[in-house]
Amino acid sequence: MSHHIYHTRGVILSSRPAGESNRFYKIFTEELGLVGATAQSVREGKSKLRYTLQDFSIVTIDFVRGKEVWRIVSAGVWRPLETIKKDSIRIKLLAGFYSLLLRLLHGEGRDQELFAEIIAVVDFLEKQIIPQELTLSFETLTAFRVLVHLGYADAKGFDNFLSPAPYSLDLLLQFEKIRSKVLTQINDSLSASHL
């Protein structure tokens, strides 16, 4: 019996061992939304997927739907993220962002706008060194934009920080002035939604 193969791009948010040589992944994909999927024998030294399916990687990926979970049948590197992976501050910021996504996202469902937002965050981290004094603004702004997109926070009065324009240091400098106000709203939203 043949299975339909779903081809898409995805962001590997996290993974954990599954059984002796398999691994279970949480992947936010462009076409399917959040997917839980296993890769067979990926923890073995001879596995071709071992180095492609790394946490935080952005990949092209092929899935088939199994009885209980998706199965990964092939994958390739779409964005290598070499700059981010070599910088402890950037990788920490990306890890924090992915952690927030895992907390907020539930179940499958195509959301290309959110996928584009994730790629915009990655693009900014790849190209830009964020000064220490603006890292909190970066974390707060990225969290706020995701919360607004998912309907957990109110965008009223903050439109100029929520447009699809690319992230920039100028945007972070402007946002720094209202960061504490937005942070209060974020905390209220997370508390009210029990996330």
Side-chain angles (χ1 to χ4, degrees):
M1 181 175 130
S2 66
H3 295 278
H4 178 72
I5 295 175
Y6 295 83
H7 180 76
T8 186
R9 297 183 291 195
V11 177
I12 301 176
L13 301 177
S14 70
S15 68
R16 60 178 166 77
E20 220 167 279
S21 60
N22 302 342
R23 203 156 184 85
F24 179 78
Y25 296 87
K26 286 280 191 173
I27 305 169
F28 189 74
T29 69
E30 188 174 23
E31 299 298 325
L32 303 166
L34 185 66
V35 169
T38 58
Q40 304 286 2
S41 306
V42 75
R43 293 167 58 204
E44 294 177 2
K46 63 184 180 183
S47 171
K48 293 177 183 174
L49 294 177
R50 181 183 183 118
Y51 298 103
T52 304
L53 297 175
Q54 298 288 319
D55 286 1
F56 310 142
S57 295
I58 301 180
V59 295
T60 57
I61 195 159
D62 293 329
F63 297 102
V64 294
R65 191 184 280 283
K67 282 185 179 177
E68 295 172 15
V69 294
W70 290 92
R71 286 188 302 116
I72 299 168
V73 293
S74 67
V77 175
W78 179 44
R79 301 280 302 275
L81 307 185
E82 290 171 9
T83 305
I84 293 174
K85 289 179 179 179
K86 290 177 186 170
D87 185 323
S88 61
I89 292 170
R90 293 181 200 198
I91 198 75
K92 184 179 174 189
L93 290 170
L94 187 63
F97 180 60
Y98 284 3
S99 179
L100 175 74
L101 291 171
L102 281 169
R103 184 176 171 188
L104 298 175
L105 297 172
H106 304 284
E108 296 170 23
R110 185 177 186 181
D111 191 337
Q112 289 186 305
E113 279 184 33
L114 182 57
F115 189 82
E117 178 71 17
I118 295 168
I119 298 305
V121 169
V122 171
D123 284 344
F124 183 60
L125 286 173
E126 271 284 296
K127 294 173 188 163
Q128 187 65 59
I129 294 171
I130 301 173
Q132 182 67 41
E133 65 272 17
L134 291 178
T135 56
L136 281 176
S137 283
F138 173 79
E139 291 173 320
T140 308
L141 179 58
T142 55
F144 185 59
R145 285 172 68 142
V146 170
L147 284 165
V148 168
H149 177 80
L150 294 174
Y152 291 116
D154 184 6
K156 191 175 179 182
F158 302 106
D159 295 339
N160 51 329
F161 297 105
L162 300 169
S163 71
Y167 285 87
S168 68
L169 285 182
D170 283 346
L171 187 69
L172 292 183
L173 283 165
Q174 292 170 38
F175 186 75
E176 179 67 21
K177 298 169 189 168
I178 61 157
R179 180 174 55 82
S180 57
K181 185 178 176 183
V182 172
L183 195 53
T184 301
Q185 187 174 337
I186 288 172
N187 291 332
D188 291 347
S189 298
L190 291 174
S191 177
S193 55
H194 306 290
L195 291 169

